[in-house]
Amino acid sequence: MGSAPGRIALFYGIAVTCSWYFRIHDPAWYRTLELPYGLTPFKYLLEGLGPTLGALLVIVLFRPKQNVSLFGTSRKWSLMMAALPVLLLTLVGIDASHEGGNAHVNGLTVGLLSVGYVVLEEFGWRGYLLDEVRGLGNTSVRGRALLIGMLWYIWHLTPMNAAGIGDHLTFLAMLVFASWGFEKITDTTGSVISVACFHLLGSLLSTNQLIQNGLSSTWRLAIFGICLVAWISMVSKWPGRQARKLTSQPL
């Protein structure tokens, strides 16, 4: 387990086991769990907890080399990036009339949940795994993107869905492309949170059911556009921009 492949296997085993338990196994207590003060949606953070648990265990036990951290080279800018979608969702509000509650409070809750979820995922994929895969040898950016994208695809337990082959291939291609782009972002910011914010863009448009069910397509596109423009601008001017040799590796 002290070798990189062994550490990756331990990390991935924990991540996939947690994903199976909450996504497929669907334990009875998880279906019926209700939190006070309208915080029940936060239980869905458990579905993204596996990559973080696996990464933390490996980091604590083996201390692998890491170039990516939670805040990277700027805690302030990382927090500013994360705060933007939370603020926008709070101002716009999330309709939950079938459950009751204030739309703006619902927006705050869903915003915090959505950002928290993608941070939990990205702490594993980019915060730990990316640097570990880099240490396997003279891998190219495209090679790392293909490997991490495939592992990420399997972690979602996508093959167990009843979707058609075209949908599976499209989703896999999206994850491989995202892995390529997210590596470029971490090479600039060194920040898990910055990558998680770009991960959230996909959630806004397609995968986050709490947003899909409570926000019109017009507002989702508007928030997507505002965040995309703001975040690209921030990354291009990121304080303490990384100047690592990693970015000059072969594509």
Side-chain angles (χ1 to χ4, degrees):
M1 283 297 183
S3 65
R7 294 192 297 266
I8 292 173
L10 177 60
F11 155 77
Y12 197 61
I14 293 172
V16 171
T17 299
C18 289
S19 183
W20 168 83
Y21 186 76
F22 292 110
R23 294 175 187 271
I24 303 300
H25 175 64
D26 192 18
W29 69 266
Y30 180 68
R31 293 196 305 270
T32 59
L33 177 64
E34 293 188 8
L35 302 177
Y37 310 112
L39 299 178
T40 297
F42 277 94
K43 73 178 183 179
Y44 293 106
L45 287 174
L46 296 173
E47 294 182 10
L49 188 59
T52 288
L53 284 180
L56 287 175
L57 181 61
V58 170
I59 290 169
V60 169
L61 291 179
F62 303 107
R63 304 290 181 183
K65 182 179 179 181
Q66 292 179 272
N67 292 298
V68 183
S69 63
L70 186 62
F71 300 109
T73 58
S74 177
R75 178 188 298 265
K76 178 181 177 180
W77 280 51
S78 292
L79 292 176
M80 286 171 59
M81 284 186 70
L84 179 58
V86 178
L87 175 62
L88 292 173
L89 288 169
T90 301
L91 291 174
V92 172
I94 295 289
D95 179 29
S97 55
H98 58 290
E99 297 178 358
N102 181 277
H104 301 290
V105 174
N106 291 334
L108 174 63
T109 301
V110 170
L112 291 172
L113 166 65
S114 300
V115 171
Y117 177 87
V118 291
V119 169
L120 287 175
E121 270 205 50
E122 289 304 329
F123 188 85
W125 305 124
R126 254 55 63 174
Y128 160 71
L129 184 59
L130 175 58
D131 281 328
E132 195 76 278
V133 171
R134 276 179 168 142
L136 291 177
N138 189 28
T139 57
S140 67
V141 175
R142 283 180 288 190
R144 291 192 293 271
L146 181 60
L147 174 58
I148 294 175
M150 180 65 74
L151 293 176
W152 195 7
Y153 167 82
I154 296 172
W155 172 82
H156 282 93
L157 301 177
T158 309
M160 302 181 72
N161 294 340
I165 185 65
D167 293 331
H168 283 288
L169 291 176
T170 298
F171 186 51
L172 174 59
M174 289 172 57
L175 295 182
V176 171
F177 177 76
S179 297
W180 174 84
F182 290 174
E183 178 170 345
K184 297 295 186 179
I185 295 171
T186 61
D187 284 344
T188 298
T189 67
S191 166
V192 168
I193 290 179
S194 69
V195 174
C197 286
F198 282 90
H199 184 157
L200 181 61
L201 293 176
S203 301
L204 278 169
L205 293 185
S206 62
T207 60
N208 188 317
Q209 290 303 310
L210 294 173
I211 293 177
Q212 308 303 310
N213 296 337
L215 200 62
S216 70
S217 59
T218 300
W219 275 119
R220 283 190 280 116
L221 287 171
I223 293 174
F224 177 96
I226 293 170
C227 289
L228 178 63
V229 171
W231 291 340
I232 289 176
S233 176
M234 291 181 71
V235 170
S236 68
K237 302 173 183 177
W238 195 267
R241 284 170 58 92
Q242 302 289 300
R244 296 184 285 174
K245 294 181 180 179
L246 296 172
T247 56
S248 63
Q249 290 188 3
L251 293 177

